[in-house]
Amino acid sequence: MVQAINLKKGMIFSQDGKLIRVLKANHHKPGKGNTVMQMDLRDVRSGAVVHKTMRPTEKVDLVELVKKNAQYLYGEGDSYTFMDTETYEQYEISSEQLGDDRLYLVPNIEVSLEFADNNELIGIELPATVELTVAETQPGIKGATVTGSGKPATMETGLVVQVPDFINAGEKLVINTSEGTYKSRAQG
C-alpha cells in the first residue's frame, strides 16, 4: 500500500481489478480547503485515460513489475514488436497500451518490457533520453541563442518538441522522455 501523495509518473497500481499507470501527478492546493492530488491515469489494458483527483492520504496497491531488457524492432499498424535481448523472444504491444511512449520509439532502441505479477505484458519503460531526428521545423535563424522562445519541431516519430531557434530539419537531438523536452544536440 502506498499513499497517493507518493505516486509518481510511471508507477502502476491496481484498483477495482484494473491496472492503472500514473501519467502525471501534481499536488494542488486550492484557495480554500485541503490539498489534493490531481492525476492523469491510464488503464494499461484498455488504454483509456482519465483525470482523477485523490486525497493525498488515500491508499492504493502498488503493482510489483518484472522488467526484461528488450530492443524495439518495428511498428506495423497498431502493433509494436519488441525482442527480449536475452532469450530473443518477441513480444507485441498495442498502440493503446503504449500511449505516447510510442512517439519515442526508433528501431533498435533499448527499453525495458514491464510484466505484471501474472506475467502479463503491460507496457515499456523508456530510457531517460532518446536521440530523434528533426523531420520538420522552420529554418534556423543565424545568431539565435538558446534563451529565445524557441519553435516547434516535429521529430521523425511524430513527436512535437519545442526547440531553440537555431535547430534545423535533419538534425539529431537528445530528447528527455519523461518531460518530452529538448535537451541538446546529439554528439557526432
Side-chain angles (χ1 to χ4, degrees):
M1 294 291 264
V2 68
Q3 291 187 333
I5 198 164
N6 296 322
L7 290 174
K8 292 181 178 31
K9 180 182 176 179
M11 288 181 160
I12 294 180
F13 63 91
S14 62
Q15 195 171 51
D16 305 326
K18 294 179 180 174
L19 291 177
I20 310 291
R21 179 184 298 272
V22 178
L23 301 178
K24 218 183 251 173
N26 296 315
H27 292 109
H28 179 68
K29 178 119 175 79
K32 292 181 180 169
N34 297 328
T35 301
V36 293
M37 292 296 295
Q38 290 186 332
M39 294 188 275
D40 289 341
L41 306 171
R42 183 172 69 221
D43 181 323
V44 297
R45 293 186 183 107
S46 74
V49 175
V50 296
H51 183 77
K52 187 173 181 181
T53 303
M54 297 171 91
R55 292 185 317 281
T57 54
E58 207 170 314
K59 293 189 175 185
V60 294
D61 287 319
L62 267 191
V63 174
E64 285 296 314
L65 298 177
V66 173
K67 296 183 181 186
K68 292 183 181 179
N69 292 331
Q71 188 177 49
Y72 170 62
L73 297 178
Y74 59 90
E76 200 170 35
D78 275 350
S79 183
Y80 293 79
T81 303
F82 298 84
M83 179 183 67
D84 182 320
T85 53
E86 286 177 23
T87 64
Y88 303 112
E89 194 174 340
Q90 291 188 8
Y91 298 91
E92 283 190 3
I93 304 178
S94 71
S95 60
E96 286 84 28
Q97 277 184 297
L98 286 174
D100 287 345
D101 285 354
R102 72 187 189 290
L103 297 173
Y104 298 95
L105 294 176
V106 288
N108 303 323
I109 188 175
E110 300 279 328
V111 300
S112 291
L113 296 176
E114 298 176 324
F115 294 86
D117 323 337
N118 55 359
N119 215 20
E120 174 189 7
L121 177 58
I122 59 169
I124 63 169
E125 182 182 285
L126 293 164
T129 61
V130 294
E131 289 187 7
L132 297 175
T133 304
V134 178
E136 194 180 313
T137 191
Q138 299 161 353
I141 301 168
K142 266 201 185 349
T145 62
V146 180
T147 56
S149 59
K151 61 185 179 181
T154 304
M155 309 311 285
E156 62 190 298
T157 59
L159 179 70
V160 177
V161 179
Q162 280 295 117
V163 299
D165 289 327
F166 57 78
I167 298 294
N168 290 302
E171 287 192 64
K172 235 184 185 0
L173 305 180
V174 177
I175 305 296
N176 175 330
T177 58
S178 64
E179 306 283 320
T181 55
Y182 164 84
K183 198 166 175 201
S184 66
R185 284 178 164 155
Q187 300 299 311

